[in-house]
Amino acid sequence: MIDPEDESRAGIYGLIARLFYSAPDEGVLAQMLHANSFEGSEAPVAVAWRELVDACRNVFPVVLENEHTALFVGTGKAEVTPYLTHYTILYATDNPLVELRQQLNRWGMQRKENANEPEDHIAGICEAMRFAIAVQQRTIEEQKMFFDSHIYRGGVAFCSAVTVSDKADFYRRVAQFARAFLELEREAFDLP
């Protein structure tokens, strides 16, 4: 049995993966509108969640699809790259994608043969963390190592890039929620 807190964490990683992989359809928007609103909490993640849910109220999936395409796909070059290793390379000799692939292999997670996206897409990394928590039930130490090595720094930089983009409206709120969640995870992992 998975701990309810870990189940919630895994669910949030899964939602972040889903939202950044493709624009939400009516079903995803409806689920978000009916989820827990954390009323009364002023924690940054709760405030960001309520703002994201509010943004779901009067949107059309086709508009969100256009925004997603403009931000993360683009014609020629995306406005904001969703590949987290882009944000973590410090030196020409760095190869965080290779390190990520090696870690995923150690955990028995392989890329599907017909997958178009590299493993460092934010959706892929968040989905890997969801799987590690909910399915494999990796130890908190293993989760922290993966978070520190492959999610936090690139994820925060990616969310910042989305937040400041002129093309982001709905996705600004998605990025603010994702960033608040990553900061909460960071605090929780740093607790003794």
Side-chain angles (χ1 to χ4, degrees):
M1 290 292 293
I2 185 171
D3 178 77
E5 182 179 321
D6 285 338
E7 186 174 17
S8 295
R9 290 177 51 237
I12 293 172
Y13 276 110
L15 177 63
I16 292 169
R18 170 60 180 84
L19 292 173
F20 282 124
Y21 185 72
S22 64
D25 58 21
E26 290 178 7
V28 172
L29 292 170
Q31 286 179 328
M32 291 171 67
L33 286 169
H34 293 95
N36 184 338
S37 66
F38 304 104
E39 276 309 313
S41 175
E42 291 306 313
V45 72
V47 172
W49 174 252
R50 288 193 297 269
E51 289 174 3
L52 176 56
V53 169
D54 284 344
C56 293
R57 294 193 193 287
N58 297 307
V59 296
F60 297 99
V62 69
V63 172
L64 299 181
E65 181 64 38
N66 290 339
E67 183 179 339
H68 184 275
T69 299
L71 277 167
F72 309 120
V73 181
T75 51
K77 184 180 178 188
E79 172 84 4
V80 179
T81 184
Y83 304 102
L84 299 191
T85 58
H86 167 80
Y87 303 98
T88 60
I89 293 176
L90 298 176
Y91 306 102
T93 57
D94 284 353
N95 204 336
L97 183 55
V98 169
E99 294 167 13
L100 173 62
R101 286 177 175 157
Q102 290 170 345
Q103 180 59 55
L104 293 174
N105 278 336
R106 283 191 294 274
W107 281 1
M109 296 181 201
Q110 276 83 34
R111 179 178 164 174
K112 291 182 181 178
E113 279 188 37
N114 60 351
N116 296 325
E117 301 291 346
E119 296 86 344
D120 65 331
H121 190 289
I122 186 163
I125 291 178
C126 286
E127 183 58 23
M129 186 64 150
R130 183 203 68 77
F131 193 79
I133 296 167
V135 178
Q136 294 182 337
Q137 297 185 13
R138 296 279 169 187
T139 67
I140 200 72
E141 292 79 15
E142 290 174 301
Q143 293 174 37
K144 180 182 184 329
M145 180 276 306
F146 189 79
F147 180 84
D148 289 343
S149 299
H150 305 294
I151 297 177
Y152 181 73
R153 192 162 48 103
V156 166
F158 165 76
C159 289
S160 294
V162 173
T163 301
V164 300
S165 171
D166 292 337
K167 295 182 180 180
D169 182 25
F170 177 81
Y171 274 96
R172 177 174 291 113
R173 291 171 183 87
V174 174
Q176 289 168 337
F177 171 69
R179 169 106 190 235
F181 175 69
L182 294 179
E183 295 296 353
L184 181 63
E185 281 281 273
R186 176 65 156 196
E187 289 174 21
F189 280 131
D190 286 345
L191 291 174

